[in-house]
Amino acid sequence: ERPDFAEICEKHGIKFIGPSAESMRKMADKSAARKTMIENDVPVIPGTDVIKTPEEIKEFAHDVGYPVILKAVAGGGGKGMRIVNNDEEVETNLELCQTEAKSFFGNSDIYVEKYLINPRHIEIQILADSYGNVVHLGERDCSIQRRHQKLIEEAPSSAVDENRSEEHTSELQS
């Protein structure tokens, strides 16, 4: 998660196993990451670009319905996030979220997403090399959280059905 480290490795002829520094920088800005995902036809939760005013939040919330979640563009680790349940909570939560984002990340920019109640947080780690070989390490469930931070990872996930077949596995590799 440190693009500078990946660049140092490259500069010294060390093969870094992980995403490129450029990819890490793109994904560090959550708003830019959303745009990249959308441009590549990856499904994303309904959301916004960077917002500046309470009115923008209310307009989005009226379109998708409450609750919504305010998120720090530079966020991570469960920091810089506030759930908003109605118009009356918008201004206070925007102010708190911007202050926390500035304090933790040095950037007060915020974006908004539809808040999903009781979602499953399923991750699949995929490894690929520069020769076109791709493997996945199966799924893990990271849904047990406190303050938007994972507490436990369960692998394989008990939330995913037992129908894990070679057919589905090969789809990932093609």
Side-chain angles (χ1 to χ4, degrees):
E1 294 182 11
R2 303 266 187 252
D4 295 341
F5 180 74
E7 285 176 338
I8 290 168
C9 288
E10 184 178 339
K11 180 179 172 184
H12 289 88
I14 299 168
K15 185 70 173 176
F16 176 74
I17 299 174
S20 68
E22 178 187 350
S23 292
M24 283 189 256
R25 284 195 177 91
K26 275 186 182 177
M27 294 299 113
D29 177 325
K30 306 302 186 253
S31 182
R34 278 184 59 80
K35 287 179 189 174
T36 300
M37 301 295 262
I38 291 166
E39 289 167 3
N40 288 283
D41 297 322
V42 175
V44 296
I45 296 167
T48 68
D49 289 330
V50 174
I51 55 93
K52 298 291 184 189
T53 68
E55 290 72 29
E56 291 173 288
I57 298 168
K58 290 176 186 177
E59 182 179 326
F60 173 75
H62 292 173
D63 287 345
V64 300
Y66 282 107
V68 297
I69 187 165
L70 312 183
K71 292 183 165 186
V73 165
K79 303 291 185 194
M81 300 168 73
R82 297 284 170 168
I83 299 166
V84 178
N85 294 296
N86 54 53
D87 284 352
E88 291 73 37
E89 295 179 4
V90 169
E91 290 185 37
T92 300
N93 280 300
L94 175 58
E95 202 172 295
L96 289 169
C97 194
Q98 287 174 322
T99 300
E100 190 173 277
K102 181 70 172 175
S103 173
F104 281 103
F105 310 111
N107 179 347
S108 64
D109 286 347
I110 301 297
Y111 70 104
V112 185
E113 287 182 340
K114 172 67 178 157
Y115 181 69
L116 303 179
I117 299 170
N118 297 321
R120 300 305 303 195
H121 178 146
I122 307 293
E123 295 181 356
I124 301 173
Q125 194 160 18
I126 299 171
L127 304 173
D129 65 19
S130 56
Y131 303 103
N133 300 305
V134 179
V135 297
H136 71 86
L137 304 179
E139 85 285 339
R140 59 185 181 259
D141 192 331
C142 307
S143 300
I144 298 174
Q145 299 186 3
R146 180 175 178 260
R147 296 184 181 149
H148 308 290
Q149 290 184 303
K150 293 182 274 189
L151 294 177
I152 297 171
E153 294 184 2
E154 175 189 11
S157 170
S158 60
V160 176
D161 71 21
E162 294 296 322
N163 194 11
R164 296 176 190 92
S165 69
E166 286 300 316
E167 178 183 320
H168 298 303
T169 302
S170 65
E171 289 172 12
L172 280 176
Q173 295 175 344
S174 55

